[in-house]
Amino acid sequence: MTNIVLYLCEKEHVEGGMIFQLLEDLTEMSTMRNCEDIFGYIESKQDILGKPELFARGKLVMLRTCNQLLRRLSKANDVVFCGRIIMFLAHFFPLSERSAVNIKGVFNTSNETKYETQAPEGISIDFNFYKTLWSLQEYFCNPPSLINAPGKWHKFTSGLMIVLNTFEAQPLSDEEGNAHNLEDDAATFNIKYLTSSKLMGLELKDPSFRRHVLVQSLILFDYLKAPGKSEKELPSEAMEEEIKTSEERVKKLLEMTPPKGKDFLCSIEHILERERNWVWWKRDGCPPFEKQPVEKKPVQGGTKKRRPRWRLGNKELSQLWKWADQYPNALTDTQRVCTPSITDYWKPLAEDMDESAGIEAEYHHKNNRVYCWKGLRFSARQDLEGFSRFTEHGIEGVVPLELLPDDVRARYQAKPGERTKRAKKEETKISAQQAEENQIATAASEMDNEGGRADPEASVAPIDTDTRIATVTISQEETPTPEDNQKQSSDTDIAQEAGQMEAETGMIDGETDADVDLDAVG
């Protein structure tokens, strides 16, 4: 039945969460012996149930089912089954799943250890040592109670020193260690030891019992030294010294406990180091650290290509080094540097511009920036007329016209009318500039004439001064003749008469320019 439902869910014929609901119902109505068989089926179908399309629909149902099983199981008698469930959840859910993480690091304080408080009759061991040994479980199950409690810390350290002194005084031999086969005991392993005082002598000779007590001590010390705590939670300097001394003694006893004490100590240290990393990860907010798998490209031919090694780092430098041996006079050769002609260089682009060639636009040479940049440099040096067409037609206008077909050439060939337009524009600019200059000169002369009408003597003085300066300049270069002086004076009189006529003309009101000109001519 379950296989049929799983197949239908996998093929998406029914809702994907139906298989998880079915498994939950089966576990609720079955006995614990039958639940173990059902869970074995769940473990066998873990890969299918973990697929994304099914996992997203039923992960919460599966988590609820496993938690219900853990509540029904006995923590003392069904240890192996509980471990299987926890291992399944660890593999089924992502590593960064927060639902299975003890964020606050809370200890199970409900796990109390009950032991005898009154010494029975006929006991052959030290009852005080018995009480001291089992009283340490109160601190092992709740390490935070030792912080900021000097009385409890002193009581714990004194009891731990008694236990360590006893272990050191009664070391185990290799024969006693080998007599207890730990691999056979794993099948009947119990999470808690019996606390009867009558068993104290036998438990002291058990290497696994000693290791449990010593490992609990290392876990407590590791918690007290854990990083990332606040100042109130940190141990004092005196506590740190005592923790360091006690930790060294515990590690030494673990190394001396047979069998394979050194290997066991190395394994415990590795586990504690991973636990510290786990604590850091939780205190940083449990950031996800899953990485997407990298898709490996299939290698052609079934063999992995080896990356070539070059003598000088890359192919070009190695080739230059070889050329130096083959052509020793390559650098001094006069024909080493040759600049191509414009027609040869632009010929590939001219072929691209021919529509009959059928070359697609994305493969044109005009898309190659290096090619266009070099071509513009060549045209600027060898073909200025073609280079000037770049502003109007772009890079295709720089191509020599003789390389283009007739229909394409007509687009870029300048017409006679277009050739004269540019010259006319330049002439227009020059004439406009001259007109502006003439207007400025006319305005200045009018202002001077108005000033001359107000003060005739002031208008004459500059002319005489200029004439005197010109006469001195001429006398320095060449002595003028009487004819030259007469000609110069006549020119000056004509200029003065023209200025007076323009000034009188400007004073006339209500007459047009044409009328003024006619009056002046008349």
Side-chain angles (χ1 to χ4, degrees):
M1 181 64 183
T2 53
N3 288 330
I4 295 174
V5 176
L6 181 60
Y7 176 80
L8 294 176
C9 293
E10 186 180 4
K11 299 299 180 181
E12 298 182 356
H13 296 299
V14 296
E15 202 271 330
M18 185 175 292
I19 181 62
F20 297 95
Q21 191 66 43
L22 177 61
L23 293 173
E24 184 183 16
D25 295 340
L26 288 175
T27 54
E28 288 180 353
M29 64 174 44
S30 302
T31 61
M32 295 309 302
R33 183 176 297 178
N34 294 333
C35 286
E36 190 171 357
D37 297 335
I38 296 172
F39 192 78
Y41 173 81
I42 295 174
E43 289 177 326
S44 63
K45 303 298 182 180
Q46 179 179 346
D47 296 337
I48 300 176
L49 295 174
K51 290 183 177 181
E53 57 271 13
L54 298 180
F55 176 78
R57 302 292 183 86
K59 62 177 182 179
L60 297 179
V61 179
M62 180 57 65
L63 180 62
R64 183 171 63 244
T65 303
C66 293
N67 288 333
Q68 290 176 356
L69 286 175
L70 289 174
R71 294 189 190 98
R72 295 170 61 186
L73 293 173
S74 173
K75 296 181 180 179
N77 299 325
D78 300 323
V79 179
V80 177
F81 193 13
C82 292
R84 286 172 57 190
I85 296 174
I86 294 174
M87 292 296 293
F88 168 77
L89 292 174
H91 288 86
F92 187 71
F93 285 87
L95 192 58
S96 58
E97 177 65 31
R98 293 174 62 91
S99 60
V101 177
N102 187 7
I103 300 295
K104 297 182 179 180
V106 180
F107 288 86
N108 185 18
T109 55
S110 61
N111 184 19
E112 298 180 359
T113 302
K114 299 179 181 180
Y115 56 93
E116 300 174 4
T117 57
Q118 300 293 332
E121 296 180 358
I123 189 172
S124 60
I125 64 168
D126 186 0
F127 190 75
N128 291 328
F129 173 76
Y130 164 81
K131 290 174 61 176
T132 302
L133 176 64
W134 289 112
S135 65
L136 295 178
Q137 296 299 322
E138 178 185 355
Y139 309 104
F140 288 153
C141 71
N142 190 16
S145 63
L146 297 175
I147 300 175
N148 298 326
K152 287 187 176 182
W153 173 252
H154 179 70
K155 188 177 180 180
F156 167 75
T157 53
S158 60
L160 182 62
M161 291 301 108
I162 294 173
V163 174
L164 296 180
N165 293 335
T166 304
F167 287 171
E168 290 176 353
Q170 300 178 12
L172 297 177
S173 61
D174 295 338
E175 296 177 358
E176 292 176 342
N178 295 329
H180 296 77
N181 194 344
L182 300 180
E183 295 179 358
D184 296 340
D185 294 343
T188 59
F189 172 75
N190 291 321
I191 197 170
K192 297 186 71 174
Y193 282 90
L194 300 176
T195 59
S196 176
S197 58
K198 297 179 181 180
L199 299 175
M200 191 77 257
L202 297 175
E203 289 174 343
L204 286 177
K205 295 180 181 181
D206 187 2
S208 62
F209 179 80
R210 290 196 179 192
R211 284 178 174 176
H212 274 79
V213 176
L214 297 175
V215 170
Q216 282 180 313
S217 302
L218 290 179
I219 293 173
L220 186 142
F221 295 151
D222 194 67
Y223 170 79
L224 295 177
K225 297 187 304 179
K229 296 181 179 179
S230 60
E231 296 181 358
K232 296 180 180 181
E233 297 176 349
L234 291 175
S236 60
E237 295 181 359
M239 288 179 63
E240 291 181 355
E241 293 294 333
E242 293 179 359
I243 290 172
K244 184 178 181 180
T245 304
S246 302
E247 188 176 12
E248 292 177 356
R249 291 184 64 184
V250 170
K251 289 183 178 181
K252 187 175 181 181
L253 284 171
L254 280 175
E255 188 176 352
M256 294 171 56
T257 303
K260 300 179 180 180
K262 293 183 179 180
D263 296 339
F264 182 80
L265 178 60
C266 292
S267 301
I268 294 299
E269 289 178 343
H270 179 68
I271 292 171
L272 292 177
E273 183 180 359
R274 290 175 62 88
E275 183 67 20
R276 284 191 291 270
N277 296 333
W278 186 258
V279 171
W280 269 116
W281 176 72
K282 290 193 296 183
R283 292 185 177 176
D284 290 342
C286 303
F289 44 81
E290 291 94 346
K291 294 183 179 180
Q292 297 296 332
V294 180
E295 297 181 0
K296 296 183 179 180
K297 297 181 180 180
V299 181
Q300 298 179 357
T303 58
K304 187 177 180 180
K305 293 183 179 181
R306 186 176 180 181
R307 188 176 180 181
R309 293 184 178 180
W310 306 104
R311 182 179 178 184
L312 297 179
N314 55 44
K315 182 179 179 180
E316 287 74 14
L317 291 177
S318 300
Q319 189 66 28
L320 286 174
W321 188 264
K322 292 181 181 179
W323 286 349
D325 296 336
Q326 298 174 1
Y327 307 101
N329 299 326
L331 296 177
T332 59
D333 189 3
T334 57
Q335 298 181 356
R336 182 176 66 88
V337 180
C338 59
T339 303
S341 61
I342 291 297
T343 55
D344 294 340
Y345 188 83
W346 290 115
K347 190 174 182 180
L349 182 56
E351 294 176 355
D352 296 341
M353 296 169 63
D354 189 1
E355 296 179 357
S356 62
I359 301 175
E360 298 179 1
E362 58 180 343
Y363 300 109
H364 282 196
H365 285 75
K366 66 179 180 181
N367 299 326
N368 189 345
R369 295 183 178 182
V370 178
Y371 176 81
C372 297
W373 178 75
K374 290 182 178 180
L376 288 174
R377 288 177 62 90
F378 292 153
S379 298
R381 294 179 180 179
Q382 303 178 22
D383 185 14
L384 289 177
E385 182 181 357
F387 183 75
S388 63
R389 292 195 297 268
F390 176 76
T391 56
E392 298 180 4
H393 305 289
I395 194 64
E396 294 181 344
V398 186
V399 180
L401 299 177
E402 59 268 17
L403 297 177
L404 301 175
D406 295 338
D407 54 344
V408 180
R409 187 187 307 171
R411 304 177 194 170
Y412 305 102
Q413 190 173 10
K415 298 178 180 179
E418 293 179 354
R419 292 178 182 176
T420 57
K421 285 182 181 180
R422 190 177 299 172
K424 289 182 179 180
K425 288 181 180 179
E426 295 179 356
E427 293 177 359
T428 305
K429 288 182 180 179
I430 294 171
S431 61
Q433 292 177 358
Q434 291 178 355
E436 291 179 358
E437 292 177 356
N438 294 335
Q439 290 178 359
I440 293 170
T442 304
S445 62
E446 290 178 357
M447 292 175 64
D448 293 341
N449 291 331
E450 290 178 359
R453 182 181 293 272
D455 191 2
E457 295 180 357
S459 64
V460 175
I463 297 175
D464 297 338
T465 305
D466 294 339
T467 306
R468 190 177 299 131
I469 293 172
T471 305
V472 173
T473 305
I474 294 172
S475 63
Q476 290 179 355
E477 295 178 357
E478 183 181 359
T479 303
T481 60
E483 296 178 357
D484 295 336
N485 293 333
Q486 185 177 1
K487 184 179 182 179
Q488 183 177 0
S489 61
S490 62
D491 294 339
T492 304
D493 296 336
I494 293 171
Q496 289 179 355
E497 292 176 359
Q500 291 177 358
M501 290 174 66
E502 290 178 358
E504 292 175 357
T505 303
M507 295 297 293
I508 298 173
D509 295 334
E511 295 182 356
T512 60
D513 293 341
D515 297 338
V516 173
D517 293 339
L518 290 173
D519 294 341
V521 172

